[in-house]
Amino acid sequence: MARYRLARSVALFVLLTTIGRLLGFAREMVLAAVFGASEVTDAYTISFSIPGVLFAAVGTAITTVMVPMLAAHRARGDDVAFRRLAWTLFHALLLVLVILLTLALAGSGWLVRLFAPGFTGDQFELTRRLTMIMLPGIVFMGLTGWMEGVLNSSKSFTAPAAVSIPMNLVLIAVTWFLGTRYGIEAVAWGTLAGFASQVVLQWTALRKIGLPYVPVLDWGDPDLRAAARRTTPVLLATVTRQASQVVNRALASGLPAGSAASLSFAYRVYLLPLGLLAIPLVTVLYPDMAEQAAGNRMQALSATINRALRLLTFIMAPLTAGAVLLRVEITALIYERGAFDRMDTLLTATALLYYSLGMIPFAWRELLSRAMYSLGDTRTPATNGMMSMGLSIVLSLLLVRFMGHGGIALATALATWWAALSLMFRLRRRYAQLRFYPLAVGSLQAAVATAAMSVAVWALRGPLLGRLGQHAGFVPLTASTLVLVGVGAVVYLLALLALGVEERRLLTDLLGRALARPQKERRVGNG
């Protein structure tokens, strides 16, 4: 039953996230087609990132701390304490967000100089105007994060997974119909409306989990004080992770026009498989890990972590190789149209090459950080994040001199590897039950299978794509790329079969349970 619920939750999360991500790509495609990789797009990219970074500095920290605390109340069946704590956290977070927004609006010019020191003149003024328009999104993003934490702690994943769908639909419509007529400022107003749509969607889901509005803000609540204590280290970890992106964009702002935009476009491609496959698995497992840790069921927690790490490795390894080998084709298929020309494609593909090297450690880091949080340890991910940020900044400053914007992407990947391996080492040293030998074996198996896949794709790529040339049409390029992806997938799966990888049987079992829901569970289950 537990496996069935996990499979169904992950499958639904992946489906909704896939729709949202595809719409996100459609949004980026429309933006690229209308404005290209230009100074205007650079200005929007920087402005869009500012509220995201400021929200991540507060909202994500609160959300991460909320899930274990609220999940513990749910596990004990104490619904009164659950509701009281949830709404206390809501009002406290809202107050913090309003204060943060006020300070950000007052210092908007300073923020633009911080995020894009290379912008001057008209580009600086445009970025500042766009930032002023989108900054109120901080409040909407914070409330969205709070709702996600509350719903996930109750193992309700549908609404949080669907929040990007209305936002992307709004942005696609605004960019295409209003951006072409009124310019990039119309897109900024559409972005703000998109942030608001996420709040509307999730608010309706709160009543379904038994959470009607309660006007309470109990400053003396011991859980609130505990949340404040735990939030500070998580806040530092989130700030440092975002700070490295700020430095990257600042460095890119001093490079040739389009560099910041190409990094943003490539980063979205890089995040696609992580958002579709890795993050859903981590998100669905987080409440389970929190309950296992709260019940001191360390063996169960250890088994969950190890299985998840192996599964993430087998998923991410071939996707990493595929993104590296087919980076130009993938970029061209997604973006190359309208104002986005071949040079923009090559710039973005270069960034994608180096970002892709960080897919596996990114997935590992997300899971291991959640494992630390579920154990009540918020300091270790914080120190890990600060050290990773420092490493990323140093590497970016060094590599950008020789590799341009590609060096920035490579620095991010290398720092992510360090962060993931460091968290793994600290967990192993602190908790003897966590043994990563199965992960080492799985990583070797994944490497062998990925190597076989890469050889097959590389051998077929030249003859198949060479005949098309760089100006191939959308349909033939799509068909050829899909053939390469299909061949790679078949070779990879055959290699896993030959190696006897046990996750193959687990995936088959989960898929079978998800597709063949027992009649009894259909009557009593809630999906």
Side-chain angles (χ1 to χ4, degrees):
M1 184 71 173
R3 271 189 180 184
Y4 161 72
R5 284 197 300 266
L6 173 61
R8 187 167 177 79
S9 296
V10 172
L12 183 57
F13 199 109
V14 168
L15 176 62
L16 293 173
T17 304
T18 299
I19 296 172
R21 293 281 178 173
L22 291 177
L23 288 173
F25 267 106
R27 183 191 83 196
E28 293 292 318
M29 291 165 63
V30 171
L31 183 67
V34 174
F35 298 102
S38 62
E39 290 186 356
V40 170
T41 317
D42 284 348
Y44 174 80
T45 300
I46 295 295
S47 302
F48 183 83
S49 69
I50 291 176
V53 169
L54 294 178
F55 157 69
V58 177
T60 300
I62 294 289
T63 302
T64 304
V65 171
M66 281 172 54
V67 172
M69 299 180 73
L70 293 173
H73 285 306
R74 280 295 202 195
R76 290 193 297 267
D78 193 345
D79 291 337
V80 174
F82 173 83
R83 288 192 294 268
R84 187 173 183 82
L85 175 60
W87 288 111
T88 291
L89 289 171
F90 169 85
H91 293 108
L93 176 60
L94 181 60
L95 179 61
V96 171
L97 290 170
V98 170
I99 293 173
L100 181 62
L101 173 60
T102 303
L103 295 174
L105 288 172
S108 58
W110 178 84
L111 284 172
V112 173
R113 290 188 179 91
L114 175 65
F115 278 69
F119 287 3
T120 58
D122 292 341
Q123 189 177 27
F124 173 83
E125 285 302 319
L126 174 61
T127 307
R128 189 186 65 80
R129 290 199 306 273
L130 298 179
T131 300
M132 292 287 288
I133 294 171
M134 288 189 279
L135 271 175
I138 294 171
V139 176
F140 296 127
M141 295 171 73
L143 297 183
T144 298
W146 171 83
M147 294 176 189
E148 180 180 349
V150 172
L151 292 169
N152 285 351
S153 68
S154 301
K155 299 185 180 180
S156 176
F157 304 101
T158 303
V163 292
S164 64
I165 295 176
M167 177 174 179
N168 286 323
L169 288 173
V170 169
L171 278 174
I172 290 170
V174 169
T175 303
W176 186 256
F177 294 107
L178 299 181
T180 53
R181 178 175 299 181
Y182 300 106
I184 197 68
E185 291 191 24
V187 180
W189 285 110
T191 302
L192 184 61
F195 290 148
S197 70
Q198 296 181 314
V199 175
V200 174
L201 176 65
Q202 289 197 109
W203 192 271
T204 58
L206 295 179
R207 289 188 177 276
K208 294 181 180 180
I209 63 169
L211 193 70
Y213 178 71
V214 178
V216 60
L217 176 54
D218 184 1
W219 292 109
D221 191 327
D223 283 331
L224 180 61
R225 293 197 297 268
R229 289 195 303 271
R230 296 177 187 178
T231 294
T232 302
V234 182
L235 180 64
L236 290 174
T238 309
V239 167
T240 52
R241 189 177 299 179
Q242 293 295 322
S244 64
Q245 292 299 313
V246 173
V247 172
N248 290 348
R249 293 186 179 97
L251 289 173
S253 71
L255 295 174
S259 296
S262 65
L263 281 171
S264 177
F265 289 139
Y267 197 68
R268 178 165 288 278
V269 179
Y270 158 69
L271 288 180
L272 178 63
L274 293 163
L276 291 180
L277 301 170
I279 300 302
L281 179 63
V282 173
T283 301
V284 171
L285 287 177
Y286 187 29
D288 290 333
M289 289 192 293
E291 288 184 1
Q292 290 165 353
N296 200 30
R297 293 182 286 135
M298 295 302 297
Q299 292 295 335
L301 178 61
S302 175
T304 298
I305 294 172
N306 277 291
R307 282 198 302 268
L309 285 174
R310 281 176 57 93
L311 191 55
L312 289 170
T313 304
F314 285 117
I315 293 171
M316 290 296 115
L319 295 177
T320 298
V324 169
L325 292 171
L326 302 176
R327 60 190 181 277
V328 175
E329 291 74 26
I330 292 172
T331 304
L333 285 173
I334 295 172
Y335 296 122
E336 192 173 312
R337 58 189 53 83
F340 198 99
D341 58 22
R342 188 66 179 180
M343 184 58 68
D344 296 334
T345 293
L346 296 178
L347 277 173
T348 303
T350 298
L352 178 59
L353 164 64
Y354 297 112
Y355 273 137
S356 298
L357 301 178
M359 283 187 183
I360 292 175
F362 186 103
W364 286 0
R365 184 190 65 189
E366 292 301 304
L367 181 79
L368 294 170
S369 295
R370 297 302 197 286
M372 287 283 194
Y373 294 145
S374 68
L375 290 164
D377 182 359
T378 57
R379 294 185 180 275
T380 298
T383 57
N384 179 270
M386 287 187 288
M387 296 178 71
S388 175
M389 179 203 67
L391 179 61
S392 177
I393 292 174
V394 170
L395 290 175
S396 291
L397 291 171
L398 291 174
L399 295 176
V400 74
R401 298 172 179 268
F402 308 102
M403 302 171 61
H405 72 298
I408 296 174
L410 179 59
T412 300
L414 293 175
T416 306
W417 270 108
W418 182 90
L421 294 176
S422 177
L423 281 176
M424 193 176 298
F425 174 77
R426 294 190 185 191
L427 270 170
R428 177 67 184 88
R429 186 176 61 180
R430 195 167 303 172
Y431 303 99
Q433 299 95 327
L434 297 178
R435 301 182 182 277
F436 294 109
Y437 175 76
L439 175 62
V441 174
S443 297
L444 181 59
Q445 292 172 321
V448 172
T450 302
M453 181 203 79
S454 300
V455 170
V457 172
W458 182 257
L460 187 60
R461 180 182 181 275
L464 190 60
L465 294 176
R467 294 194 299 268
L468 296 178
Q470 70 177 36
H471 300 295
F474 180 80
V475 173
L477 183 58
T478 300
S480 299
T481 304
L482 288 176
V483 168
L484 291 172
V485 171
V487 169
V490 170
V491 172
Y492 184 73
L493 291 175
L494 290 176
L496 292 184
L497 286 172
L499 293 169
V501 173
E502 65 181 41
E503 277 71 16
R504 173 187 59 80
R505 293 190 295 272
L506 173 62
L507 287 173
T508 303
D509 179 49
L510 288 176
L511 181 61
R513 289 171 179 267
L515 294 178
R517 186 178 183 183
Q519 185 64 31
K520 180 180 179 180
E521 292 180 5
R522 183 177 290 114
R523 290 195 303 269
V524 302
N526 58 10

